[in-house]
Structures are given as C-alpha cells and as structure tokens.
Amino acid sequence: MPAVDLLAGLREIVGDTHVVTDPDAVAPYAQDWTRRWHGKPLAVVRPATVAQVSAVVRACAVAGVPLVPQGGNTGLVGAGVPQDGEVVLSLTRLDSVGPLDPLGRTLMAGAGATLAQTQRAARSAGLDIGLDFSARDTATVGGIAATNAGGERVMRHGAARFRIRGLEAVLADGSVVRRMSGVSKDNTGYDLVQLMIGSEGTLGVITAVQLDLIRPHKIVGTALVAVRTVDDALTVLRAVQHEFTGLEAAEFFHHDGLQLVLEHERLARPFDRPHPLYLLFDLADDDGRPDTLEELTELLAGLDCVRDVVLVSTAADRRRLWELRELQTEAISAEGVPVKLDVALPLNQLTVFERRLAAVVRSVARHAVPILFGHIAEGNVHVNLLNAVEEDAQGAVTEAVLDLVASLGGSISAEHGIGLANRRWLPLTRSSADMTAMRAIKQALDPEGILSPGRMLPDPVETRK
Ligand code: MLT
Ligand code: ZN
C-alpha cells in the first residue's frame, strides 16, 4: 500500500490533527532526550482509545509499515525512537488515571498517564505506587511497563514488574489482550502480563496498566554520607541495614558528578570540602522507634569510614539533598552528549569494576571522562562517558565497558533496557538457547516484524559470538 493511502487511513481512524507529518511538529518525537538516537518517521499518530490503537496497528500491518510505540520519550537506549520510515504510535493521549480500588489496592492508568500523575492519585488515598525516578513528570506508565523501569525505590518495592498487577495490550495483528481483573493470585496459563513488561514495544503496544499499590512508610530522615570508596559506602549501608529495617533508597555519586550538578544548577555545596564519594539514603519509620534520627547519627559517628554527614528530616531539606543525585543526568547532558551505559555488578565486584573501568575506557577513548552514579543497593552503575561519542561510533567504547561488566558476572543492562543501543551485546550475557527462545517468542507474536523491528534482538549478522 502506498504511504499516502496509509496516512489517509490513519487520518480516518484518529482524525486529521492527530496524524502529524509537519517536520517541526514531528521533531520532538523523532529524537530522544540524549540527542543520540533519532530517525525520520513517516508520521506521528496519536490515538485516544484502545480501539483506535488497535485500528492503527492493523492499518500499519496491512500496509507493511512498522511502528514504534512511544510514551514520554524519556528512554535512554533508542527503544522508543523511530527509525526512518516508521510510524510513531504516541500513547500520550491515553492518559486517564483511575479508578483506584482501596480494598484491592490497585490503580488503573492509561499508558499515557505520567508517573507523577499516578503518584498523586495514589497518595491522595494514603497509598503509593512504590516506584519513583527523576523523569517522573514526563515518563508514562506505558513506557515504564514496556521497559520494566527501575529507579530509586527498587531496593524496597522492586522494579516495575513487581508493581504491575495487570495490563492491556494491542498485539501485532490488532487484537487486544486484557488482564486486569485485580485478582492477585492467577495461575491461568502463560503470564502474558509479565511477558509484555520489559518487552520494549517488540511484542505488543501496552495501552493501560493496573498498578499494585503499597501502604507507604513515613520517611523520617535522609542522609548524605561522605566516604572514600564504594566499599566504604557498602559498609555504611550494611551497618544501617543491620540496625534499622526501614531503608527505602540508597544511591551513590562521585565528586566529579556533584561538581557538575553544583555548577550547572547553581546549588549550594553540601560539605565544606570535597570528598571522593557520596552515599545518599532515605530511612523510613518501620521500627516505630521515637529516636531514630539520634540513633542513626550515633551509628554513623561510630563508623571509621564516614568522613562527614548531612542528616535532614524536613521535606524541603530532603528534596535539596535528592536534587544533588537526581540532577546528575541533566548536568552531564548539559556538558555534552555522553555515551550512556547502565550496568549492574554483583556487590562484591563493584570496587573492582570502578578500579578497572578508567583504564579500560582510556584504552579505547583517550580523552573520555567517566562520570558514575547510580543505585548502589542493586549494584546498578550509570556509566556516563563524556568526550567518547566519536570513539564509540562503531561501538568500541561500549564494547570495552560491557566486556568488563560481563567478565565480572554483571548485567549489561540493569534498568534502561536494550533498545538499539545494546542489542549487539545481548549475547555477552545471554546464551544461544536464550536467544533462540527470545526469537521464537518474537516470531510467534509478531511474525511480520511490525512492532519496533530491530530493537532488543540483534540481527544475526550483528551477533558477536
Ligand atoms: C537515573 O537513575 O537517574 C536514571 O536512570 C537516568 C540516568 O541514568 O541518567
Ligand atoms: Zn537509574
């Protein structure tokens, strides 16, 4: 079918104004946030209902034109960005939030609702989503489900797949699967909900999500602890976990990242003098002890590896400390386009990884500047390499770092996914049996390769091993 016929068909389904082809209007959908991934889509289509999504998918399938679902476009691995000639299926108009079931503790949300919108709805009922990260105002729950997003609360409440009880998705032939009964025990056949979660738009278009709500604990304090090494940070973490049950989040960043945040965001420095590494954590009042903060102060004061501490309890002070961590992504991006990798290491290999990383990077990109931060409780390191994009044009830098990660028993993608960025290196940590099974699933659910082709699974010629 010629492209003009497809566009006419799409206009009939969603209305003229929601089939966007004007280059200026298309631009925000055609490039990702990092400026590293971009393409020239045939059009951006903005359906408002699941029936429209289904009809759009069917029309694209009939025309043989691939499509890429897109939410808030906050992904970092090119999974939601179009390649040339694809249709961008934007889900942002499916932004309903509710109903909330306080008894079953679930919240319905359209794929286009933002994380912040769902957080507000849950909190207004004294509950919470149990998921949080800095892109909360833009990232959508459809994208969160499709990428199995992680973030800052994973150590306590798990990644997205633990926070989603049901979902609705449109398959490659336009049919709709809906598993949103709210029943928390359901062993009826294959778990299609979990299969869709983390499939990055390659198996279906997620149109709605049923979130599993938690009863939040009150955060009594947030601590920023200055230490020398990652091992020191883990020592502090273990001591706090031994003494208290309410550790909610544990993050780390280095001096160079903090410096960028302070410069770009014009924030006040947290300590009089710089320190090599910072551990940031939230403590909730699970234990119901009246003097938690005093006890925490005493505990930290007794640890030799602690060089300095800022301990705060008001919401405004806590936010100020969290900004030092959450604004790292933006501050790095303001400095240049980084090679962004998102890896996880066994905790006992974190120090070895950090120690070897600099030399490994230098061997392939002499002027690269590594800036590391991340979610320390899961060994999740966000490796940002400034001044390395050119050397990484053929993937040399990415390969060197991911080889190191694999050799230490880590994961080459902790929470950002595979997308276009990491697909070549999937076989580093997935066996040929794994790859065959994944290809069989893709082939069964999307035999014509209509949904996000080329994402996640490498083309056979790309496979290194
Ligand atoms: C974060 O933890 O801030 C996000 O994963 C974003 C990033 O890695 O830049
Ligand atoms: Zn992260």
Side-chain angles (χ1 to χ4, degrees), residues 26-120:
V26 163
Y29 301 87
Q31 172 164 280
D32 81 332
W33 193 90
T34 66
R35 311 185 290 273
R36 233 193 146 188
W37 304 105
H38 37 79
K40 288 198 184 78
L42 177 67
V44 177
V45 184
R46 301 174 6 99
T49 63
V50 62
Q52 289 185 359
V53 174
S54 163
V56 168
V57 172
R58 209 171 299 121
C60 288
V62 168
V65 173
L67 56 89
V68 58
Q70 189 181 91
N73 198 10
T74 57
L76 295 165
V77 293
V81 175
Q83 303 205 76
D84 292 357
E86 291 179 349
V87 165
V88 176
L89 178 50
S90 169
L91 280 310
T92 52
R93 290 177 71 215
L94 278 76
D95 60 353
S96 62
V97 178
L100 183 150
D101 173 5
L103 190 61
R105 287 203 184 146
T106 59
L107 173 67
M108 299 290 204
T114 64
L115 174 59
Q117 282 175 306
T118 60
Q119 286 174 334
R120 279 195 292 275

XYZ file of all heavy atoms in Angstrom, residues 26-120:
679
model
N 6.903 17.054 14.248
C 7.371 15.668 14.406
C 8.662 15.619 15.244
O 8.913 14.652 15.974
C 7.605 15.031 13.006
C 8.471 13.789 13.094
C 6.260 14.704 12.344
N 9.455 16.693 15.152
C 10.810 16.689 15.735
C 10.903 16.161 17.176
O 11.759 15.315 17.462
C 11.414 18.082 15.630
N 10.040 16.600 18.108
C 10.194 16.109 19.486
C 9.989 14.599 19.630
O 10.449 14.001 20.600
C 9.094 16.859 20.257
C 8.602 17.924 19.364
C 8.956 17.570 17.968
N 9.285 14.000 18.692
C 9.041 12.553 18.751
C 10.153 11.765 18.046
O 10.239 10.555 18.183
C 7.723 12.191 18.042
C 6.493 12.861 18.594
C 6.095 14.117 18.151
C 5.712 12.221 19.550
C 4.953 14.735 18.645
C 4.558 12.816 20.044
C 4.194 14.077 19.583
O 3.053 14.666 20.069
N 10.927 12.471 17.243
C 11.872 11.788 16.348
C 13.266 11.661 16.938
O 14.116 10.973 16.384
C 11.953 12.544 15.022
N 13.492 12.320 18.059
C 14.816 12.283 18.686
C 14.656 12.029 20.169
O 13.683 12.475 20.768
C 15.521 13.628 18.464
C 16.815 13.756 19.223
C 17.659 14.899 18.705
O 18.348 14.789 17.706
N 17.601 16.019 19.395
N 15.606 11.315 20.748
C 15.484 11.046 22.176
C 16.126 12.167 22.978
O 16.726 13.094 22.433
C 16.072 9.684 22.544
C 17.580 9.743 22.689
O 18.210 10.591 22.034
O 18.125 8.949 23.460
N 15.993 12.025 24.259
C 16.422 13.024 25.214
C 17.934 13.234 25.202
O 18.437 14.322 25.413
C 15.951 12.515 26.579
C 16.012 13.492 27.647
C 15.038 14.359 28.009
C 17.120 13.704 28.522
N 15.476 15.110 29.056
C 16.750 14.729 29.391
C 18.377 13.137 28.658
C 17.581 15.194 30.382
C 19.223 13.609 29.639
C 18.811 14.624 30.484
N 18.677 12.147 24.925
C 20.143 12.248 24.951
C 20.700 12.872 23.670
O 21.877 13.166 23.593
C 20.799 10.854 25.090
O 20.525 10.102 23.895
C 20.280 10.102 26.292
N 19.870 13.005 22.650
C 20.240 13.503 21.317
C 21.075 12.472 20.553
O 21.640 12.751 19.514
C 21.001 14.845 21.390
C 20.360 15.890 22.251
C 21.085 17.213 22.190
N 22.377 17.211 22.831
C 22.615 17.442 24.119
N 21.586 17.711 24.912
N 23.828 17.418 24.623
N 21.165 11.256 21.084
C 21.981 10.228 20.412
C 21.165 9.397 19.432
O 21.689 8.864 18.481
C 22.593 9.301 21.477
C 24.089 9.206 21.303
C 24.716 8.104 22.077
N 25.847 7.558 21.320
C 26.507 6.489 21.647
N 26.155 5.812 22.713
N 27.495 6.062 20.908
N 19.853 9.283 19.673
C 19.009 8.421 18.842
C 17.979 9.249 18.115
O 17.245 10.028 18.728
C 18.322 7.355 19.717
C 19.324 6.575 20.490
C 19.594 6.690 21.822
C 20.245 5.602 19.972
N 20.621 5.842 22.171
C 21.031 5.167 21.055
C 20.475 5.058 18.704
C 22.039 4.213 20.904
C 21.476 4.108 18.552
C 22.241 3.695 19.647
N 17.918 9.100 16.774
C 16.924 9.854 16.010
C 16.632 9.162 14.695
O 17.397 8.297 14.246
C 17.386 11.299 15.759
C 18.854 11.403 15.509
N 19.412 11.094 14.307
C 19.871 11.720 16.342
C 20.726 11.248 14.390
N 21.036 11.615 15.611
N 15.494 9.507 14.083
C 15.133 8.940 12.789
C 14.124 9.851 12.117
O 13.714 10.870 12.704
N 13.745 9.484 10.877
C 12.761 10.302 10.153
C 11.494 9.466 9.986
O 11.380 8.680 9.040
C 13.305 10.678 8.771
C 14.403 11.709 8.811
C 14.576 12.337 7.414
C 15.733 13.308 7.377
N 17.042 12.648 7.298
N 10.519 9.627 10.889
C 9.316 8.800 10.799
C 8.427 9.218 9.636
O 8.472 10.368 9.190
C 8.620 9.047 12.134
C 9.083 10.399 12.565
C 10.474 10.570 12.024
N 7.599 8.275 9.193
C 6.609 8.593 8.172
C 5.586 9.568 8.748
O 5.146 10.513 8.083
C 5.914 7.288 7.734
C 4.791 7.403 6.727
C 5.329 7.859 5.376
C 4.069 6.057 6.570
N 5.205 9.322 9.996
C 4.228 10.187 10.671
C 4.209 9.855 12.156
O 4.690 8.791 12.567
C 2.831 9.953 10.084
N 3.656 10.783 12.924
C 3.360 10.505 14.334
C 1.848 10.391 14.432
O 1.122 11.283 13.976
C 3.863 11.649 15.249
C 3.476 11.381 16.697
C 5.368 11.830 15.104
N 1.368 9.290 15.004
C -0.077 9.070 15.120
C -0.442 9.071 16.593
O 0.220 8.409 17.403
C -0.472 7.725 14.473
C -1.978 7.547 14.513
C 0.025 7.673 13.045
N -1.503 9.817 16.918
C -1.831 9.996 18.333
C -3.260 9.518 18.636
O -4.188 10.318 18.723
C -1.676 11.476 18.708
C -0.251 11.971 18.461
C -0.029 13.458 18.670
N -1.119 14.217 19.189
C -1.274 14.567 20.458
N -0.387 14.215 21.339
N -2.313 15.262 20.839
N -3.454 8.223 18.800
C -4.797 7.700 19.093
C -5.233 8.079 20.516
O -4.388 8.392 21.355
C -4.621 6.187 18.978
C -3.169 5.948 19.208
C -2.437 7.166 18.733
N -6.547 8.027 20.745
C -7.068 8.407 22.066
C -7.720 7.239 22.800
O -8.047 7.359 23.973
C -8.086 9.547 21.907
N -7.931 6.111 22.123
C -8.587 4.969 22.761
C -7.883 3.686 22.339
O -7.168 3.664 21.326
C -10.061 4.858 22.303
O -10.060 4.616 20.887
C -10.856 6.119 22.601
N -8.154 2.618 23.095
C -7.552 1.335 22.729
C -8.083 0.867 21.375
O -7.346 0.246 20.594
C -7.755 0.284 23.845
C -9.218 -0.010 24.089
C -7.042 -1.022 23.493
N -9.353 1.180 21.092
C -9.914 0.780 19.790
C -9.144 1.465 18.661
O -8.861 0.844 17.624
C -11.396 1.145 19.736
N -8.804 2.727 18.867
C -8.020 3.438 17.837
C -6.606 2.859 17.717
O -6.078 2.721 16.611
C -7.950 4.933 18.155
C -9.288 5.647 17.960
C -9.185 7.158 18.172
O -8.118 7.688 18.482
N -10.316 7.851 18.029
N -6.012 2.508 18.861
C -4.668 1.902 18.805
C -4.736 0.622 17.988
O -3.909 0.369 17.104
C -4.127 1.605 20.226
C -2.808 0.835 20.135
C -3.941 2.892 21.018
N -5.749 -0.182 18.271
C -5.918 -1.450 17.568
C -6.064 -1.216 16.057
O -5.428 -1.897 15.238
C -7.148 -2.166 18.140
O -7.574 -3.155 17.270
N -6.874 -0.226 15.697
C -7.092 0.052 14.265
C -5.816 0.576 13.606
O -5.514 0.236 12.451
C -8.237 1.064 14.107
N -5.063 1.394 14.333
C -3.798 1.919 13.780
C -2.818 0.767 13.545
O -2.178 0.680 12.495
C -3.185 2.976 14.741
C -1.732 3.306 14.344
C -4.031 4.245 14.763
N -2.705 -0.131 14.524
C -1.776 -1.261 14.378
C -2.200 -2.112 13.183
O -1.363 -2.518 12.364
C -1.731 -2.109 15.675
C -0.914 -3.387 15.450
C -1.134 -1.292 16.815
N -3.498 -2.347 13.067
C -3.988 -3.169 11.954
C -3.673 -2.495 10.606
O -3.209 -3.128 9.674
C -5.489 -3.445 12.111
C -5.873 -4.774 11.484
C -7.303 -5.207 11.783
N -7.579 -5.384 13.198
C -8.517 -4.712 13.878
N -9.265 -3.802 13.279
N -8.719 -4.953 15.142
N -3.911 -1.195 10.536
C -3.652 -0.468 9.279
C -2.172 -0.541 8.909
O -1.815 -0.762 7.750
C -4.093 0.987 9.423
N -1.304 -0.386 9.906
C 0.146 -0.457 9.626
C 0.519 -1.873 9.199
O 1.341 -2.047 8.282
C 0.950 -0.047 10.860
S 0.868 1.723 11.197
N -0.082 -2.870 9.849
C 0.225 -4.264 9.496
C -0.180 -4.550 8.053
O 0.583 -5.155 7.289
C -0.472 -5.218 10.463
N -1.364 -4.081 7.684
C -1.848 -4.305 6.306
C -0.919 -3.610 5.311
O -0.578 -4.156 4.259
C -3.310 -3.790 6.152
C -3.715 -3.748 4.689
C -4.256 -4.679 6.950
N -0.466 -2.403 5.657
C 0.404 -1.645 4.752
C 1.852 -2.139 4.802
O 2.683 -1.713 3.988
C 0.349 -0.166 5.112
N 2.156 -2.987 5.796
C 3.535 -3.472 5.937
C 4.484 -2.384 6.400
O 5.683 -2.434 6.123
N 3.948 -1.389 7.117
C 4.791 -0.298 7.629
C 5.003 -0.503 9.131
O 4.034 -0.560 9.888
C 4.128 1.082 7.378
C 4.919 2.195 8.059
C 4.044 1.337 5.880
N 6.248 -0.629 9.580
C 6.482 -0.865 11.008
C 6.163 0.360 11.855
O 6.195 1.501 11.367
C 7.972 -1.198 11.077
C 8.556 -0.768 9.799
C 7.476 -0.610 8.787
N 5.855 0.115 13.118
C 5.567 1.222 14.034
C 6.354 1.046 15.321
O 6.740 -0.059 15.687
C 4.075 1.312 14.309
C 3.361 0.082 14.864
C 3.403 0.063 16.372
C 1.912 0.093 14.378
N 6.551 2.179 15.978
C 7.242 2.156 17.260
C 6.370 2.873 18.296
O 6.022 4.039 18.120
C 8.655 2.787 17.158
C 8.621 4.224 16.669
C 9.396 2.714 18.478
N 5.943 2.161 19.358
C 5.157 2.834 20.396
C 6.047 3.802 21.171
O 7.218 3.509 21.399
C 4.702 1.686 21.320
C 5.055 0.416 20.619
C 6.152 0.736 19.660
N 5.465 4.931 21.559
C 6.245 5.917 22.325
C 5.399 6.522 23.436
O 4.237 6.855 23.229
C 6.727 7.036 21.394
C 7.727 7.977 22.045
C 8.171 9.097 21.099
O 7.572 10.158 21.074
N 9.215 8.846 20.313
N 5.976 6.643 24.630
C 5.290 7.294 25.750
C 5.839 8.697 25.933
O 5.720 9.549 25.057
N 6.513 8.933 27.058
C 7.051 10.265 27.337
C 8.389 10.526 26.661
O 8.965 11.592 26.838
N 8.892 9.545 25.926
C 10.180 9.670 25.220
C 11.319 10.006 26.180
O 12.180 10.835 25.879
C 10.084 10.712 24.098
C 11.211 10.560 23.076
O 11.951 9.581 23.098
N 11.343 11.533 22.189
N 11.302 9.348 27.341
C 12.398 9.557 28.302
C 13.368 8.380 28.320
O 14.288 8.354 29.131
C 11.850 9.750 29.739
O 11.053 8.613 30.083
C 11.015 11.002 29.850
N 13.147 7.402 27.440
C 14.038 6.236 27.398
C 15.440 6.643 26.971
O 15.652 7.706 26.383
N 16.403 5.794 27.263
C 17.799 6.172 27.037
C 18.538 5.222 26.097
O 19.734 5.356 25.902
C 18.529 6.239 28.395
C 18.011 7.326 29.341
C 18.504 7.098 30.757
C 18.399 8.710 28.869
N 17.829 4.229 25.524
C 18.533 3.253 24.686
C 17.980 3.187 23.262
O 18.256 2.248 22.518
C 18.495 1.835 25.325
C 19.311 1.795 26.601
C 17.056 1.368 25.567
N 17.172 4.165 22.872
C 16.665 4.226 21.499
C 15.509 3.277 21.219
O 15.153 3.074 20.054
N 14.886 2.725 22.264
C 13.793 1.762 22.028
C 12.513 2.446 21.545
O 11.745 1.864 20.781
C 13.502 0.966 23.293
N 12.287 3.688 21.964
C 11.033 4.369 21.632
C 11.186 5.441 20.563
O 10.275 6.231 20.326
N 12.362 5.472 19.943
C 12.641 6.489 18.919
C 12.488 5.842 17.547
O 12.908 4.714 17.346
C 14.084 7.036 19.107
C 14.444 8.004 18.002
C 14.199 7.708 20.456
N 11.851 6.547 16.580
C 11.626 5.921 15.274
C 12.906 5.756 14.465
O 13.834 6.551 14.580
C 10.703 6.922 14.570
C 11.041 8.237 15.203
C 11.348 7.933 16.644
N 12.905 4.722 13.646
C 13.903 4.622 12.586
C 13.223 5.171 11.332
O 11.998 5.287 11.280
C 14.339 3.190 12.420
C 14.886 2.616 13.727
C 15.849 1.467 13.513
O 17.001 1.652 13.130
N 15.362 0.275 13.771
N 14.005 5.470 10.304
C 13.448 6.105 9.099
C 12.268 5.303 8.550
O 12.343 4.076 8.420
C 14.526 6.210 8.015
C 15.618 7.195 8.412
O 15.481 7.816 9.484
O 16.607 7.326 7.664
N 11.177 6.015 8.245
C 10.032 5.381 7.589
C 9.025 4.732 8.525
O 7.957 4.302 8.085
N 9.342 4.662 9.823
C 8.397 4.039 10.757
C 7.301 5.035 11.164
O 7.466 6.254 11.056
C 9.127 3.562 12.013
C 10.055 2.386 11.763
C 10.792 1.921 13.009
O 10.760 2.633 14.041
O 11.417 0.863 12.949
N 6.200 4.484 11.659
C 5.152 5.313 12.253
C 5.392 5.356 13.762
O 5.595 4.321 14.389
C 3.757 4.712 11.958
C 2.688 5.336 12.850
C 3.399 4.899 10.486
N 5.411 6.557 14.334
C 5.484 6.678 15.792
C 4.052 6.597 16.324
O 3.194 7.391 15.934
C 6.105 8.031 16.221
C 6.071 8.176 17.742
C 7.526 8.163 15.704
N 3.813 5.625 17.186
C 2.491 5.484 17.800
C 2.579 6.098 19.192
O 3.053 5.461 20.141
C 2.121 3.994 17.848
C 0.803 3.593 18.479
C -0.350 4.404 17.920
C 0.543 2.120 18.247
N 2.180 7.365 19.287
C 2.289 8.072 20.565
C 1.087 7.729 21.441
O -0.060 7.853 21.016
C 2.351 9.578 20.321
O 2.206 10.248 21.552
N 1.374 7.308 22.689
C 0.287 6.884 23.583
C -0.119 7.975 24.577
O -0.910 7.733 25.479
C 0.729 5.645 24.380
C 0.695 4.248 23.740
C -0.655 3.975 23.091
C 1.784 4.024 22.742
N 0.390 9.197 24.381
C 0.215 10.200 25.439
C -1.235 10.653 25.634
O -1.581 11.189 26.682
C 1.101 11.445 25.181
O 0.840 11.901 23.850
C 2.562 11.133 25.345
N -2.097 10.425 24.614
C -3.500 10.835 24.814
C -4.290 9.808 25.638
O -5.403 10.100 26.091
C -4.183 11.061 23.459
C -3.663 12.303 22.746
C -4.295 12.479 21.389
N -5.683 12.867 21.433
C -6.616 12.462 20.546
N -6.273 11.617 19.570
N -7.849 12.874 20.648
N -3.726 8.642 25.855
C -4.403 7.649 26.704
C -3.974 7.906 28.152
O -3.270 7.117 28.769
C -4.030 6.218 26.279
C -4.791 5.637 25.096
C -4.289 6.210 23.785
C -4.645 4.127 25.062
N -4.371 9.052 28.689
C -3.784 9.497 29.955
C -4.755 9.474 31.130
O -4.599 10.221 32.097
C -3.192 10.903 29.783
C -4.251 11.921 29.378
O -5.401 11.501 29.101
O -3.928 13.118 29.342
N -5.744 8.612 31.073
C -6.696 8.554 32.190
C -6.009 7.965 33.423
O -5.103 7.137 33.305
C -7.886 7.675 31.810
O -7.414 6.369 31.568
N -6.429 8.417 34.597
C -5.927 7.848 35.852
C -7.136 7.472 36.702
O -7.986 8.312 36.970
C -5.042 8.856 36.622
C -4.577 8.246 37.947
C -3.831 9.253 35.783
N -7.213 6.224 37.131
C -8.321 5.733 37.936
C -9.186 4.785 37.139
O -9.004 4.651 35.925
N -10.081 4.072 37.811
C -10.377 4.178 39.244
C -9.315 3.510 40.121
O -8.558 2.677 39.657
C -11.716 3.439 39.358
C -11.743 2.482 38.219
C -10.983 3.131 37.109
N -9.351 3.945 41.418
C -8.467 3.373 42.422
C -9.314 2.474 43.310
O -10.405 2.869 43.729
C -7.825 4.512 43.221
C -6.798 4.152 44.307
C -5.775 5.276 44.445
C -7.452 3.875 45.656
N -8.843 1.276 43.550
C -9.557 0.345 44.430
C -8.804 0.278 45.765
O -7.756 -0.369 45.851
C -9.612 -1.033 43.764
C -10.182 -2.104 44.698
O -10.621 -1.745 45.814
O -10.157 -3.281 44.308
N -9.317 0.949 46.809
C -8.574 0.996 48.076
C -8.538 -0.358 48.774
O -7.614 -0.642 49.543
C -9.349 2.024 48.915
C -10.684 2.146 48.285
C -10.583 1.694 46.872
N -9.524 -1.203 48.511
C -9.570 -2.511 49.166
C -8.569 -3.475 48.511
O -7.730 -4.079 49.180
C -10.996 -3.068 49.059
C -11.302 -4.313 49.884
C -11.104 -4.040 51.377
C -12.743 -4.775 49.619
N -8.656 -3.575 47.207
C -7.717 -4.449 46.477
C -6.369 -3.802 46.261
O -5.422 -4.439 45.805
N -6.272 -2.502 46.593
C -5.040 -1.715 46.439
C -4.490 -1.747 45.015
O -3.363 -2.171 44.763
C -3.971 -2.177 47.423
C -4.276 -1.767 48.825
C -3.027 -1.731 49.647
N -3.356 -1.416 51.025
C -2.719 -1.885 52.081
N -1.704 -2.692 51.924
N -3.084 -1.539 53.291
N -5.342 -1.306 44.085
C -4.881 -1.173 42.708
C -5.317 0.187 42.156
O -6.283 0.795 42.643
C -5.474 -2.271 41.795
O -6.892 -2.189 41.836
C -4.993 -3.649 42.185
N -4.612 0.625 41.131
C -4.945 1.869 40.446
C -4.833 1.626 38.945
O -3.797 1.179 38.461
C -3.967 2.985 40.857
C -4.089 4.310 40.085
C -5.430 4.999 40.383
C -2.926 5.250 40.439
N -5.907 1.929 38.229
C -5.884 1.820 36.766
C -5.263 3.088 36.188
O -5.521 4.189 36.686
C -7.305 1.721 36.212
C -8.078 0.531 36.698
S -7.398 -0.970 35.994
C -8.822 -2.018 36.114
N -4.515 2.936 35.107
C -3.972 4.124 34.439
C -3.789 3.827 32.963
O -3.331 2.734 32.592
C -2.630 4.524 35.054
N -4.153 4.802 32.136
C -3.885 4.679 30.702
C -2.381 4.737 30.474
O -1.640 5.315 31.286
N -1.935 4.163 29.367
C -0.494 4.090 29.096
C 0.166 5.466 29.085
O 1.344 5.602 29.402
C -0.258 3.407 27.755
N -0.609 6.513 28.738
C -0.022 7.835 28.604
C -0.021 8.666 29.875
O 0.480 9.799 29.877
N -0.558 8.123 30.969
C -0.523 8.872 32.241
C 0.923 8.920 32.726
O 1.663 7.944 32.591
C -1.396 8.179 33.271
N 1.326 10.049 33.291
C 2.713 10.138 33.767
C 2.834 9.470 35.138
O 1.845 9.310 35.868
C 3.193 11.593 33.891
O 2.401 12.241 34.893
C 3.092 12.330 32.570
N 4.070 9.132 35.465
C 4.322 8.545 36.789
C 3.845 9.505 37.879
O 3.201 9.090 38.845
C 5.828 8.251 36.932
C 6.296 7.762 38.300
C 5.585 6.469 38.709
C 7.813 7.550 38.307
N 4.127 10.802 37.711
C 3.737 11.783 38.734
C 2.220 11.830 38.911
O 1.718 11.948 40.034
C 4.274 13.163 38.369
N 1.478 11.740 37.803
C 0.001 11.752 37.914
C -0.486 10.562 38.736
O -1.364 10.703 39.577
C -0.626 11.677 36.511
C -0.613 12.987 35.748
C -1.137 12.780 34.325
O -0.646 11.937 33.597
N -2.147 13.535 33.943
N 0.089 9.397 38.486
C -0.373 8.215 39.228
C 0.076 8.290 40.688
O -0.639 7.856 41.584
C 0.144 6.908 38.583
O 1.565 6.911 38.568
C -0.386 6.736 37.179
N 1.264 8.861 40.910
C 1.719 9.019 42.303
C 0.753 9.904 43.081
O 0.379 9.603 44.217
C 3.120 9.653 42.330
C 4.226 8.708 41.917
C 5.569 9.409 41.811
O 5.651 10.624 41.567
N 6.641 8.648 41.966
N 0.323 11.013 42.438
C -0.603 11.931 43.118
C -1.916 11.229 43.426
O -2.466 11.361 44.516
C -0.859 13.177 42.250
C 0.247 14.215 42.356
C -0.193 15.557 41.788
N -0.377 15.525 40.352
C 0.609 15.698 39.460
N 1.844 15.919 39.874
N 0.367 15.657 38.166
